[in-house]
Amino acid sequence: MKIAIFGATGTIGKTILWELMDRGHEVTAIVRDPSKVEMVHERLRVEKGDLLNPDQVADFTAGQEAVVSAYGPKFGEEEELLEVTRSLIEGVRRGKASRLVVVGGAGSLLTDSGEMLMDTPGFPEEVRTLAKAHVDAYGLIEESDIHWTYMSPAATITSGPRTGHFRIGMNRLVTDDLGESTISVGDFAAALVDELDDPQFIGSRFTVAY
C-alpha cells in the first residue's frame, strides 16, 4: 500500500516505519527534521512538513491508502496534542486519504474495576496531564467523519524484541495472569501494521498486550 506516516523519528514511529518497509509498503514519512530519519530505501520518501498545518497534511496525505500518526507531544507541551489532532483530522478529510490510524495512549482503557487506567491508584502523576490530553484527542477522533482507527498500547511499552505473539483487546486493558500489562515496541508496531494489512477496527479503538 501507499502509506503516509507522521512522527516517524520517535521510538514508536521509527519502529512502525521499519515494520512497514519490511512488509513491502511504499511509505512517505512527513517529519519536521528530515535529517533525523536514519533509513534510506527506494520505497521510502521523506518530506519536511508540519503536522500543525492542515494544508500540508492534506497535500501529503492526498492519494494515500492509509495515514499513520505516531506523533507524541513532549512533556509540558501536552496541549499541542489537541491542536495536532484537529489538524490531522482536517487534513486527512481534505486529502481524501482512505483511512487514519492513530497511536494513542493507554490511560483511557478500562480496568477490571471499571475505572479508566488513569484514574486508578498508582497511576503515575507525572503522566496524568498527558493521559488526559490523549483522552480528549481520542474524543475528537471518535466524533470525526473520517475512517479512523485508534490504537492504545499496553500500560507499559518496552524496548523488548518483536515476537509476533500478543493478545488483542478493545476498550479494556489487556493483562496477564499476574495482572501486568506490557507490550514491546516491536510487537506494538507489528500489531499496528497487521491492522493496516487486514483492517478489523475501522471506526473503533483496539489495544495489544502479552
Side-chain angles (χ1 to χ4, degrees):
M1 288 187 291
K2 293 174 63 178
I3 297 171
I5 179 170
F6 293 92
T9 57
T11 300
I12 294 176
K14 188 185 304 184
T15 310
I16 293 170
L17 179 58
W18 277 104
E19 186 75 24
L20 288 169
M21 302 312 298
D22 283 347
R23 299 204 200 182
H25 295 294
E26 294 184 26
V27 180
T28 300
I30 303 98
V31 295
R32 289 178 175 173
D33 183 357
S35 69
K36 291 185 176 180
V37 179
E38 301 167 355
M39 180 189 294
V40 176
H41 197 285
E42 62 181 7
R43 285 185 280 102
L44 174 63
R45 182 164 60 102
V46 180
E47 298 283 358
K48 182 177 182 178
D50 186 357
L51 194 44
L52 285 168
N53 186 325
D55 293 331
Q56 290 188 17
V57 174
D59 288 343
F60 287 126
T61 60
Q64 299 290 333
E65 293 170 79
V67 178
V68 175
S69 174
Y71 163 82
K74 298 176 182 177
F75 282 108
E77 299 179 6
E78 292 86 356
E79 69 282 352
E80 187 176 276
L81 180 59
L82 294 181
E83 297 176 52
V84 163
T85 301
R86 292 187 184 97
S87 176
L88 188 60
I89 291 169
E90 180 63 22
V92 168
R93 181 189 296 115
R94 284 194 219 162
K96 296 182 168 58
S98 296
R99 63 181 301 211
L100 170 67
V101 178
V102 174
V103 174
S108 60
L109 291 169
L110 298 178
T111 62
D112 288 342
S113 68
E115 298 173 288
M116 288 194 298
L117 177 63
M118 63 177 287
D119 293 331
T120 58
F123 188 83
E125 194 61 38
E126 63 271 19
V127 297
R128 191 176 299 279
T129 300
L130 177 60
K132 179 62 168 61
H134 275 297
V135 170
D136 294 341
Y138 175 45
L140 293 175
I141 294 166
E142 197 173 23
E143 293 169 2
S144 72
D145 58 359
I146 60 175
H147 290 99
W148 60 271
T149 299
Y150 187 92
M151 184 175 178
S152 290
T156 301
I157 188 163
T158 73
S159 59
R162 181 193 189 285
T163 68
H165 300 287
F166 43 79
R167 292 178 295 149
I168 293 176
M170 294 190 70
N171 292 314
R172 296 188 72 85
L173 188 72
V174 176
T175 58
D176 61 19
D177 292 341
L178 299 176
E180 300 294 322
S181 176
T182 62
I183 191 74
S184 73
V185 67
D187 280 330
F188 182 86
L192 186 144
V193 181
D194 284 349
E195 171 62 19
L196 289 171
D197 289 342
D198 182 20
Q200 302 292 317
F201 300 104
I202 293 178
S204 62
R205 183 249 291 270
F206 77 106
T207 184
V208 291
Y210 296 126

